[in-house]
Amino acid sequence: MSTAGSVSKACFVFKSKQKKVANPEDYFCHDTSDSTAQTRHRAFHTLWDELNTEIQILQSDLNTRIFDDLIQFTQNASSKFTFDPDDSTHQRVAYEIPTAALVTGVNMPDHDVMFANLISLVREKVSLYVAVLKSNDCPNVKSVMVKSITQLMGNKDMMDDSIDDGDNTTVNIKKINCTMSTLAAWYADKFNKPSSPKKKRSSSGEGIETSRCPPLVIVLEDLEGFPPHVLQDFVLICSNHLTDLPIVLILGIATAVTAVHRVLPHSVSSLLCIERFQAPPSTNYLTQVINKVLMTPRHPFKLDAKVFQLLLDIFLYHDFSVLNFIRGLQFGLMDHFYSNPVSCLCCPLEDSLETVKTLNHQNLEEMRKTASFRKYVESQPSKDQILLLTDDKHLKKVVADLLYSMDNYHRCFFPMLDCLHCLVKKLPKHPLGKQVREVYCECLKGNISETEAYKDAFSLLKAMSKDEMTILLHQCIDRLAQEDVPEELKSIPNNLREFVNRFENLEDLTQTVGDTTGDDENTEALPKKTDMHTLRKTLLERKKKKLTVYEVIRTDTVEYLNEICSKYLACPRSQPLHEIFYYDSASEIRRHINGAPRTAIQTALSNPYFYLQNPSLQGESNSVSPALPDVCIIYKLHLECGRLINMYDWLQAFITLIHTREGAEEEEDPKQPDKKLQARFIRAVSELQFLGFIKPTKRKTDHVARLTWGGC
Amino acid sequence: MEVPESLYSTVPCRRQQTDLLLALFGEKTHYTCPSIFIYGHTATGKSLVVNTVLQKLKLPHVQVNCVECYTARLMYEHILNQAGGVVPSPENDYASYARCDNMNEFLRLFKQALKETDKEEETFYIVLDKAERLRDMDMNILPAFLRLQELASGNLCVILISEIVWEKFRRGTGFVEPFVVHFSDYSKDDLCEIMALDCPVDYSEDFYLSYIKLLMNVFYQVCRNLGELRHLAILNFPKFVEPIKSGEAGQGDVRKLWRNIEPHLKKALQTVYLREVSSAQWERMQQESTATESGASSTSTPIPSNVARANVELPFYSKYLLIAAYLASYNPAKSDRRFFSKNAGKFSRRSKLAKKHERTSNQLLGPKPFPLDRLMAIFYSIVEERVAPTANIFLQISSLVTLQLLAQIASDDQLDGPKFKCLVSLDFIKLIARTVHVDVVRYLYDFV
């Protein structure tokens, strides 16, 4: 601290003593009376870790195919390179830079992960020399060159370092000229040695198949963001050195390949030999995430209809970004464990049964408070009701049972959901949607069998042809024959198979049944005396009744399907204690994930009580009261003005308002307002300007311009 | 000065220009004119001629690509390195001949470097390729290079190579007029002769020349760029010889070969200059298309059509934002009331008449800038449901800007009401609008 007495006027940095790092657990357990907080925190972590690893595996699997193609491409591109300038094949290849155009889709937040995966793959399989350029680090040619060359040359060559230390490859990057000729010299020095047996041996030992001349891969993550002239120059420079450097470009393009032509003129784009790679759309990825993470009995945490719909909407309407969806999910998970005391049981069945045993009276009281449990209690006989509400031991037993049944419900639910999806996905007009997530969302909203869409779908199913029907049934059977299907559903495939058999044996049946129906019709006589109208009606009805055998079987099948669907696809909210597993506070998520800054500012200015919670401000949302903070008064006054605001009038209005509070006793000269009030006014006005509501204008003296429209 | 005969054979069809250069250069020790300016279209052999002459005659020279030397310092040091014979290598820590920051130092060091070489009497040539970039550098560089002979008082010649005419270089003062040499375009016969040099070893030159002539008949109308034509020739040759390889036709069977190649060349004609596919991918496509023709059930379309190429999948509100931006860019602001408010009056007769005069002008004039407020107002009126003005909506505008579908102009200050322009074409917006069932044309001032 000796510097504090220094005579020089300067800023000194005093490092504070080591601050206690904020521990999330402390936040979780802020309430010491709540004993489950720690359990919940632990459960949250284990669950999130599981989900996260699963998502990451998905992510890497998703792009494997396209990455394999890309790796293949880079390997091929570099294989032709030699240092021998007389090689004829080389001469011809050298006109164009091998370029992979990776069309990534517009979900830009997800690209970082994708490129990180790609780069690590390239490093592992093709070449250690990879440079990654992002448009915001590269405003000019110099920065592009410096960035790429430092990354390429500064690469710590793992193979060389371990073997021969004398031939150290790390170069002091800061001193050198970052030009391609330097790079070429460096590359030639490294790889154009007449014989390098050492290197070869070591590389085979490492298991990396680097050819003698590994390519220099330069990845431009977002082509659209680069200034066109920078990119043009960079491509020109690269192409000048193709004879002595095996450069491979990978261009990440978010929109379409045409972007290349928009950025590069023909003279430049003809130097590229572009091959296109289309990344799978992010909707595929999302579907997989939802299937693997949410629509499975393996993970206990589930989203309720509103939250699920909200996250889906953000994805489809706003950004197509799976990363943001996962963030929303993570937030939901955290908030669920944080805010919901009963969530301590939200873990795999065995663990939750263990936890039930350790619950104390207070926890059980929480359990009793949940809405679904109360409903459950009301449905029980009155003797049980008292037991449930008073006897903790009994309650624990019941809770364990309920957890069992919940688990079982989930196990049956998802296979059935897939079946239903199989049935409805190809229907005309898609009453329940094309994607399984849409069907799932319907199920979450309420009892699906009572919805209009469901009824529409089943009436459409009743009109299906035999071939379509059998295909659908086979699909359902296949789905239900998978391993994860619980015992309870094992009988369904057999029943369905029976229906299929009946459909197939239809030909034999038609005649026999046809005869009997014919007999029936003959025996049934028409009523003797009727008017035209009733006669027509009866005839029509009879015609309707005359079903073919096929129709009979089809109706039976559909009825059966309807029955099992409505049995197993009951709304999760109808289950007792669903609060343990389902997270439903959509408003919380909306507030945190889909913020509305403008609305927030406007609320703060027009109704400061909302944020300040000061009782003196209450109920002032519509009128302008002098008790409000200055900036709020100014804001409200400015709402009454037009496009341009006269500063003097504004000041007068402000002073008048303030004076109403002070009782207007001191009569002042209005031309000479109080200095203090003037200062307050100016400060409030500049605050408003800082918030972006007004700006100074040159159009009229002593006026400011409004930047928002709409009155009060 | 004796001229090796191989010189003319390596640069065919440029005999006149080569002779001119040789005449200008004269004997090795002769003083050449201080600067020569060479211009001509792309791929007319400018650099090739100069470089081959200098290399074949073993004249001391330095080649500089002005694009690569993006600062003056790099250029000076590059010239000094080559003149002084310094090659950056790990031994010298990739250092250059000397550090050199300005023209003054450069002249001093350059004189010194020339003295060190043993060929001090011979003319030293400095070739500045892509010389138009010199104009963007410091003001003094171009005049100084033009007078280098005088300034460095040595036997030097600066050769500037550019694609644009000398008149565009005159800026500022102190210029010494260089000797201007024009490289004219190759004629059709020249092109054929040069392209025939690419003949693969397995085929006779005459056969390849006949192929080239066929190709030229198709492409000469749309493309005269040697580089592009060569690319096309190499790309399509395997297809051309396919019947020969399969034994269906002989080398002399011109008609049959032509019938085989014609449809493919027509297809290639649509994608001239685009280079969206590499040679390898092109071949794969060709194979696929032959597979489909022969009856195999391959669903992939071999060549993506123009619309499909530009297809971009956007989030729901981004589509609406883009449509709103397009409308804001191409409609005059005063017509907004008519399109988007409920009880808007019809056009009066007079305004209709006035509009007749400026019919289609908006589409021809290109997009106009519009403020954010207007974009949002149009956006809210074309989206059917209520949309909360959340951060995500505004985020999408900026991501549309990064995708270069919109452009933000002028205003650096975010608070100061930023202005945008819509950069997409009418076809593109129609495509987008169709997916959300909006009839854009109905909202466009030009088409009403």
Side-chain angles (χ1 to χ4, degrees), chain B residues 73 79 94 96 131 140 146 157 159 182 204 253 264 298 363:
Chain B
R73 198 188 121 203
I79 296 173
Y94 303 102
S96 41
N140 66 336
L146 290 171
C157 172
I159 301 174
H182 178 232
S204 73
D253 212 345
H264 294 280
S298 161
Q363 293 295 325

Side-chain angles (χ1 to χ4, degrees), chain A residues 177 240 261 270 274 318 595, chain B residues 65 68 77 274-275 278 391 396:
Chain A
N177 276 337
N240 274 340
H261 301 291
S270 65
I274 302 176
H318 290 298
Chain B
N65 188 320
E68 200 180 324
E77 292 185 3
L274 284 182
R275 304 262 181 135
S278 65
Q396 280 179 68

Side-chain angles (χ1 to χ4, degrees), chain B residues 99-140:
Chain B
R99 193 184 159 82
C100 173
D101 280 316
N102 55 42
M103 201 65 188
N104 251 342
E105 268 177 59
F106 171 71
L107 286 172
R108 183 174 59 80
L109 292 164
F110 187 60
K111 271 189 258 182
Q112 190 187 323
L114 280 186
K115 277 207 188 98
E116 283 164 16
T117 56
D118 47 346
K119 295 176 180 172
E120 209 192 324
E121 280 89 57
E122 291 181 20
T123 319
F124 190 88
Y125 295 93
I126 297 176
V127 182
L128 299 171
D129 208 339
K130 303 253 177 356
E132 61 269 15
R133 293 302 174 102
L134 291 176
R135 300 179 302 170
D136 306 330
M137 293 185 184
D138 292 341
M139 280 297 277
N140 66 336

Side-chain angles (χ1 to χ4, degrees), chain A residues 73 92 95-96 105-106 108 141-143 145-146 153 171-172 175-182 185-187 189 224-226 228-229 232-234 236-237 240-241 254-258 261-263 266-267 269-277 314-320 324 593-599 643 689-692 695 707-709, chain B residues 42 65 67-71 73-74 77-78 81 87-91 93-96 130 133 163 198 200 225 228 230-231 234 273-281 284 304 306 308-318 373-374 376-377 380 385 387-396 398-400 402-405 415-417 423-424:
Chain A
F73 170 80
R92 217 153 103 185
Y95 290 126
E96 300 171 338
V106 295
M108 284 177 291
V141 183
K142 189 178 177 188
S143 51
M145 296 301 289
V146 171
M153 285 173 66
V171 183
N172 191 353
K175 279 186 184 166
I176 59 161
N177 276 337
C178 283
T179 58
M180 278 287 176
S181 27
T182 318
W186 166 82
Y187 190 82
D189 169 64
E224 282 94 347
F226 282 87
H229 67 98
Q232 285 163 27
D233 287 359
F234 183 65
L236 283 173
I237 292 169
N240 274 340
H241 283 275
T255 48
V257 188
T258 40
H261 301 291
R262 207 164 47 204
V263 179
H266 168 250
S267 59
S269 64
S270 65
L271 298 170
L272 302 175
C273 166
I274 302 176
E275 195 154 329
R276 202 176 81 166
F277 298 87
I314 292 178
F315 176 84
L316 291 174
Y317 285 4
H318 290 298
D319 52 10
F320 277 172
N324 286 351
I593 302 289
N594 198 10
R598 190 166 174 169
T599 327
R643 192 88 204 152
Q689 183 183 349
F690 176 70
L691 290 172
K695 67 167 184 181
L707 291 171
T708 52
W709 24 263
Chain B
T42 353
N65 188 320
V67 177
E68 200 180 324
C69 300
Y70 46 88
T71 61
R73 198 188 121 203
L74 286 178
E77 292 185 3
H78 184 77
N81 275 349
V87 181
S89 64
E91 284 77 47
D93 240 353
Y94 303 102
S96 41
K130 303 253 177 356
R133 293 302 174 102
E163 285 177 18
D198 287 333
N225 184 327
E228 193 65 34
R230 268 173 95 181
H231 172 77
I234 293 168
Y273 289 124
L274 284 182
R275 304 262 181 135
E276 262 164 31
V277 289
S278 65
S279 322
Q281 252 181 341
R284 224 178 303 140
N306 258 350
R309 277 197 300 114
N311 191 15
V312 179
E313 196 56 48
L314 287 173
F316 190 69
Y317 286 145
S318 293
D373 291 348
R374 195 170 156 227
M376 293 318 288
Y380 287 127
E385 63 254 65
V387 190
T390 59
N392 271 326
I393 293 279
F394 294 102
L395 207 65
Q396 280 179 68
S398 54
S399 62
L400 285 176
T402 37
L403 292 176
Q404 302 230 304
L405 299 173
L415 299 180
D416 211 15
L423 300 182
V424 298

Side-chain angles (χ1 to χ4, degrees), chain B residues 271-414:
Chain B
T271 51
V272 175
Y273 289 124
L274 284 182
R275 304 262 181 135
E276 262 164 31
V277 289
S278 65
S279 322
Q281 252 181 341
W282 174 259
E283 273 157 33
R284 224 178 303 140
M285 280 181 191
Q286 295 280 27
Q287 277 161 11
E288 266 173 32
S289 66
T290 44
T292 40
E293 275 162 32
S294 60
S297 59
S298 161
T299 47
S300 60
T301 47
I303 295 174
S305 69
N306 258 350
V307 180
R309 277 197 300 114
N311 191 15
V312 179
E313 196 56 48
L314 287 173
F316 190 69
Y317 286 145
S318 293
K319 286 178 183 171
Y320 275 108
L321 280 170
L322 197 61
I323 294 170
Y326 189 85
L327 294 177
S329 250
Y330 285 96
N331 280 351
K334 59 176 192 263
S335 72
D336 283 353
R337 223 182 105 242
R338 190 175 100 82
F339 287 121
F340 304 112
S341 78
K342 287 234 167 67
N343 48 358
K346 290 234 159 153
F347 263 132
S348 70
R349 183 186 273 270
R350 214 167 70 202
S351 66
K352 244 181 200 166
L353 272 178
K355 217 188 86 183
K356 274 244 164 81
H357 290 293
E358 43 170 18
R359 190 114 195 147
T360 68
S361 58
N362 280 328
Q363 293 295 325
L364 292 176
L365 286 174
K368 293 193 181 59
F370 54 86
L372 179 66
D373 291 348
R374 195 170 156 227
L375 171 70
M376 293 318 288
I378 297 178
F379 170 70
Y380 287 127
S381 64
I382 57 173
V383 177
E384 272 129 29
E385 63 254 65
R386 253 182 69 82
V387 190
T390 59
N392 271 326
I393 293 279
F394 294 102
L395 207 65
Q396 280 179 68
I397 297 177
S398 54
S399 62
L400 285 176
V401 172
T402 37
L403 292 176
Q404 302 230 304
L405 299 173
L406 298 185
Q408 188 175 356
I409 38 177
S411 132
D412 314 312
D413 187 8
Q414 282 294 319

